[in-house]
Amino acid sequence: MTIAEVGKEYGLTADTLRYYERIGLLPPVARNKSGNREYTEADCRWVHFIKCMRNAGLSIEVLIEYVGLFQQGDASVAARKDLLLEQRKQIVEKIEELQGTLAYLGKKIDGYEDHMLKIEENLKKFDAQTTPEEE
Amino acid sequence: MTIAEVGKEYGLTADTLRYYERIGLLPPVARNKSGNREYTEADCRWVHFIKCMRNAGLSIEVLIEYVGLFQQGDASVAARKDLLLEQRKQIVEKIEELQGTLAYLGKKIDGYEDHMLKIEENLKKFDAQTTPEEE
DNA sequence: GCTTGCGTTGGAGTGAACTTTAAGTGATAA
DNA sequence: TTATCACTTAAAGTTCACTCCAACGCAAGC
């Protein structure tokens, strides 16, 4: 696959893909005879992984570390697993925090509902005083 | 409360609090006779709200909009509620996305566990071939 | 051969969100 | 009274994560 195709597939621009590769966030992608990147399925799986992890809020820094570990081969398997475990923990915490915020927001929204009901009531009273009955 | 105290309480620097106020992310805080900010409880509730919402990923832009609506008084109650409803929706989506990522990460971690087991097995085989039995 | 359209590079530019700095004010403690 | 300390402002600087650009290479179609 070409860089444009991969970009389209995963919702990244060609610029971003090249940028990620340049900074080591993606392992180097092999080139065809004209020097253009030719993404294999394995490359695409990397792109997918990186996209997912970025969306989940993992920093570029920690992902570069992960890619670096990967490139060291089997010796780094335990370190890679630990890194992922730590990041998973942080995502779990993030979810819990978001659920707390959700509860807080819910209360705030309920407050607005009450407020709006009261305003409506006042309007009705005002209507009753100032406009003739309609039926 | 002084700016430093509020900063400490909510995990923001005095710089950030002044910055937030300057850009309209926090309503103006009244000053004491020396011109220093004196945060009331209501101000603190604002700080708490903004901190929460920023942590949840709401943009400064949308929060400035919210503060602006608030300052318009009762006429903006419905608009404020709609804004919060929309942001809540986005947080719910974010949580769902994170849960998907969690599942994906879980599989990846399991993969590493399998991998490590295999490596261990190979080590044992190697031991069996090359070292004398121990009991 | 020329144009079009895809790709390449390195480096500069952008926008969001702070963060630091310079230069000052006012209150308190020694 | 002088030093210290927390605060003030406006403006410049920083960091992160892209995003764009200029200048070029290659290959297919006219």
Side-chain angles (χ1 to χ4, degrees):
Chain A
M1 279 175 107
T2 70
I3 196 165
E5 286 163 354
V6 174
K8 200 160 195 181
E9 179 90 11
Y10 295 98
L12 297 163
T13 67
D15 274 321
T16 302
L17 284 168
R18 277 188 290 255
Y19 165 70
Y20 280 0
E21 190 179 331
R22 176 149 44 96
I23 64 174
L25 222 188
L26 289 172
V29 175
R31 313 307 182 90
N32 63 19
K33 63 186 188 315
S34 349
N36 294 4
R37 288 172 183 77
E38 186 65 47
Y39 287 78
T40 65
E41 274 201 22
D43 292 325
C44 288
R45 279 196 299 276
W46 268 109
V47 172
H48 174 66
F49 172 70
I50 292 298
K51 177 84 195 302
C52 261
M53 296 305 122
R54 290 291 297 131
N55 280 355
L58 303 225
S59 73
I60 282 193
E61 196 183 354
V62 68
L63 289 172
I64 289 176
E65 192 189 335
Y66 182 81
V67 174
L69 286 172
F70 178 83
Q71 288 172 336
Q72 289 169 27
D74 274 2
S76 70
V77 165
R80 277 183 267 162
K81 189 189 140 200
D82 287 350
L83 187 152
L84 294 188
L85 281 170
E86 170 62 25
Q87 296 305 311
R88 176 165 72 174
K89 204 185 98 210
Q90 289 189 20
I91 294 174
V92 168
E93 278 164 16
K94 187 80 200 170
I95 289 176
E96 280 161 8
E97 198 189 329
L98 285 179
Q99 276 162 347
T101 304
L102 224 44
Y104 176 35
L105 253 186
K107 268 194 261 170
K108 213 149 175 98
I109 290 168
D110 289 349
Y112 278 122
E113 244 140 51
D114 295 351
H115 194 159
M116 286 161 79
L117 274 177
K118 270 188 207 155
I119 290 173
E120 239 174 88
E121 264 170 49
N122 285 340
L123 274 178
K124 274 186 206 152
K125 279 184 208 154
F126 183 74
D127 277 358
Q129 284 163 15
T130 58
T131 61
E133 312 272 326
E134 283 188 39
E135 66 252 15
Chain B
M1 278 174 109
T2 69
I3 196 165
E5 286 163 354
V6 175
K8 200 161 193 179
E9 179 90 11
Y10 295 98
L12 295 163
T13 67
D15 280 323
T16 300
L17 284 168
R18 276 188 291 257
Y19 165 70
Y20 279 1
E21 190 179 333
R22 179 154 39 92
I23 63 174
L25 220 187
L26 289 171
V29 175
R31 313 307 183 89
N32 64 18
K33 61 184 185 319
S34 346
N36 294 4
R37 288 172 184 78
E38 186 64 47
Y39 288 76
T40 65
E41 273 199 23
D43 292 328
C44 288
R45 279 195 300 276
W46 268 109
V47 173
H48 174 65
F49 172 68
I50 293 297
K51 177 82 196 302
C52 261
M53 295 305 122
R54 289 290 296 131
N55 279 356
L58 303 226
S59 73
I60 283 193
E61 196 184 354
V62 67
L63 289 170
I64 288 176
E65 192 189 336
Y66 182 80
V67 174
L69 286 171
F70 178 84
Q71 288 173 333
Q72 289 169 27
D74 275 2
S76 69
V77 166
R80 275 183 268 162
K81 190 190 138 198
D82 287 351
L83 187 151
L84 295 188
L85 281 170
E86 170 62 24
Q87 297 304 311
R88 177 167 69 176
K89 206 186 98 208
Q90 289 188 20
I91 294 174
V92 169
E93 279 164 16
K94 187 80 201 167
I95 290 176
E96 279 161 10
E97 198 189 329
L98 285 179
Q99 278 162 345
T101 305
L102 224 44
Y104 176 34
L105 252 185
K107 268 194 262 169
K108 211 146 175 99
I109 290 168
D110 289 349
Y112 278 122
E113 244 141 51
D114 295 350
H115 194 159
M116 286 159 80
L117 274 177
K118 269 189 208 152
I119 290 172
E120 240 173 86
E121 261 171 53
N122 284 340
L123 273 178
K124 273 186 207 152
K125 279 186 208 151
F126 184 75
D127 277 0
Q129 285 165 14
T130 57
T131 61
E133 314 270 325
E134 283 188 35
E135 67 254 17

